């Protein structure tokens, strides 16, 4: 059955490769990016795999939460059902690490924006829907003051690893609160050091085959093995469901991170 699948950050790297795979299987892929020209290029590439009329493009800078709200509203206006949401967009190294609101852009793009987008789009999703959140092998304990912008981390990898543990933690709490009636929520480490722009710019190495990440995201989006996996963490370095960082196994710590995220997003009435 043809599914409608939104992939954030599908202008490059793993997101773009996943869009091509899913489009080639006949699914309707909603492409998202922050650059109009990269979105147009991505749409052309995806159209090579499939009739271009089945893709749609959505422009939004996820470091701006008002744009996240507008993105969600536009999708709600155009679609009654969303089958799969892949929260793939992510950032590590950047020349503008702090947003105008004083927040670390890694926390905004990698943790807050996907939470807000997900909450806004859940009404379009049913129990067979899937929310796939991009985690990472890099997971470090979340410093609440850094998350809320009261202090700033000088190490970009520390900020990235904290933002990735934070999304892994709220994936679990969201799965619990949605229960069986809601879509499945799964955190996925797509594989480490896959050769995307993020890895090449961050580590100065070519990196591995991006297709490894695209293949696991496609499986997470569609295959039966993920249908009952809500709240779980899939580690593609190990090739199996696994345990995330200890903090993501601690219900109380997970709830605290989710409460902080909720309070930071309170003005958007989730
Ligand atoms: N590559 C790996 O080995 C690896 C390992 C673990 C986890 N991951 C995760 O996998 C996901 C995909 O990463 P990747 O490796 O494919 O990196 P990438 O090639 O840099 O792709 C990141 C995507 O996110 C988009 N993006 C970044 N900041 C954005 C913003 N402010 N607003 C909207 N879109 C934004 C990028 O848009 P532009 O095209 O405009 O830059 C791009 O489409 C990320 O969540 C990453 O953390 C990757």
């Amino acid at each position: 059955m043809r599914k409608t699948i939104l992939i954030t950050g599908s202008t490059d790297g793993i997101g773009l490769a996943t869009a091509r795979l899913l489009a080639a299987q006949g699914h309707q892929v909603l492409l998202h990016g922050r650059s109009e020209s990269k979105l147009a290029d991505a749409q052309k590439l995806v159209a090579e795999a499939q009739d271009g009329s089945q893709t749609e493009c959505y422009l939004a800078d996820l470091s701006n939460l008002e744009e996240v709200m507008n993105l969600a509203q536009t999708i709600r206006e155009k679609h009654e059902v969303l089958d799969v949401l892949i929260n793939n967009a992510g950032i590590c190294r950047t020349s503008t690490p702090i947003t105008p609101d004083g927040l670390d852009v890694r926390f905004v793009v990698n943790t807050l924006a996907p939470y807000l987008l997900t909450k806004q789009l859940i009404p379009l999703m049913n129990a067979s829907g899937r929310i796939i959140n991009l985690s990472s092998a890099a997971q470090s304990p979340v410093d609440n003051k850094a998350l809320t912008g009261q202090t700033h981390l000088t190490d970009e990898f520390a900020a990235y690893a904290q933002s990735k543990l934070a999304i892994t933690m709220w994936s679990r709490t969201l799965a619990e609160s949605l229960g069986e009636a809601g879509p499945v929520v799964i955190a996925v480490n797509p594989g480490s050091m896959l050769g995307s722009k993020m890895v090449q710019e961050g580590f100065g190495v070519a990196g591995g085959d991006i297709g490894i990440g695209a293949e696991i995201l496609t499986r997470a989006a569609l295959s039966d093995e993920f249908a009952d996996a809500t709240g779980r963490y899939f580690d593609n370095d190990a090739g199996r469901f696994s345990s995330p960082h200890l903090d993501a196994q601690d219900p109380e710590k997970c709830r605290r991170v989710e409460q902080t995220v909720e309070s930071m997003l309170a003005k958007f009435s989730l």
Side-chain angles (χ1 to χ4, degrees), residues 61-93:
D61 183 340
L62 301 188
S63 69
N64 179 331
L65 296 172
E66 298 289 347
E67 291 196 27
V68 177
M69 288 295 282
N70 291 340
L71 169 65
Q73 190 181 335
T74 312
I75 288 170
R76 283 199 310 260
E77 283 164 6
K78 290 183 92 167
H79 292 273
E80 283 179 6
V81 174
L82 181 67
D83 296 299
V84 181
L85 166 60
I86 305 181
N87 283 310
N88 165 79
I91 190 83
C92 181
R93 176 163 287 179

Side-chain angles (χ1 to χ4, degrees), residues 8-16 32-35 38 60-64 87-91 105 109-110 134-138 160 164 188-199 201 210 217:
T8 66
S10 39
T11 49
D12 215 323
I14 298 168
L16 176 56
H32 157 265
R34 59 177 161 173
S35 147
K38 283 189 83 167
D61 183 340
L62 301 188
S63 69
N64 179 331
N87 283 310
N88 165 79
I91 190 83
V105 76
V109 174
N110 303 349
L134 269 286
S135 180
S136 170
Y160 175 79
K164 287 295 173 182
V188 175
N189 163 29
S192 296
M193 301 298 283
L194 307 179
S196 64
K197 167 165 62 69
M198 182 187 286
V199 161
E201 288 175 356
I210 279 178
L217 293 189

Side-chain angles (χ1 to χ4, degrees), residues 2-214:
R2 192 180 84 136
K3 307 249 182 201
T4 300
I5 301 171
L6 170 61
I7 309 173
T8 66
S10 39
T11 49
D12 215 323
I14 298 168
L16 176 56
T18 306
R20 296 182 73 180
L21 271 185
L22 290 166
Q25 294 180 23
H27 299 290
Q28 181 184 38
V29 180
L30 312 186
L31 300 166
H32 157 265
R34 59 177 161 173
S35 147
E36 208 160 357
S37 64
K38 283 189 83 167
L39 257 181
D41 290 346
Q43 191 172 31
K44 273 188 216 141
L45 279 172
V46 173
E48 284 170 12
Q50 176 198 49
D51 173 3
S53 65
Q54 293 193 1
T55 61
E56 291 173 7
C57 289
Y58 294 89
L59 187 67
D61 183 340
L62 301 188
S63 69
N64 179 331
L65 296 172
E66 298 289 347
E67 291 196 27
V68 177
M69 288 295 282
N70 291 340
L71 169 65
Q73 190 181 335
T74 312
I75 288 170
R76 283 199 310 260
E77 283 164 6
K78 290 183 92 167
H79 292 273
E80 283 179 6
V81 174
L82 181 67
D83 296 299
V84 181
L85 166 60
I86 305 181
N87 283 310
N88 165 79
I91 190 83
C92 181
R93 176 163 287 179
T94 170
S95 56
T96 49
I98 306 300
T99 69
D101 291 341
L103 298 175
D104 189 302
V105 76
R106 271 72 49 145
F107 283 120
V108 180
V109 174
N110 303 349
T111 307
L112 298 176
Y115 190 86
L116 183 58
L117 184 64
T118 299
K119 283 281 187 157
Q120 295 296 317
L121 293 180
I122 279 174
L124 302 188
M125 305 185 79
N126 57 38
S128 61
R130 297 191 190 178
I131 297 160
I132 314 299
N133 287 337
L134 269 286
S135 180
S136 170
Q139 299 173 21
S140 313
V142 180
D143 175 343
N144 203 57
K145 286 190 169 170
L147 170 59
T148 53
Q150 294 170 70
T151 57
H152 290 150
L153 299 166
T154 49
D155 178 349
E156 61 210 6
F157 294 110
Y160 175 79
Q162 290 190 28
S163 72
K164 287 295 173 182
L165 180 54
I167 190 172
T168 308
M169 294 170 90
W170 74 244
S171 298
R172 175 185 167 139
T173 49
L174 180 64
E176 281 168 4
S177 64
L178 289 172
E180 287 186 4
V184 164
V185 188
I186 305 157
V188 175
N189 163 29
S192 296
M193 301 298 283
L194 307 179
S196 64
K197 167 165 62 69
M198 182 187 286
V199 161
Q200 287 163 1
E201 288 175 356
F203 298 93
V205 296
D209 177 9
I210 279 178
I212 293 168

Side-chain angles (χ1 to χ4, degrees), residues 135 139 165 168 232-233 242-249:
S135 180
Q139 299 173 21
L165 180 54
T168 308
R232 299 187 72 187
Y233 168 70
S242 181
S243 299
H245 188 284
L246 277 177
D247 283 6
Q249 300 172 56

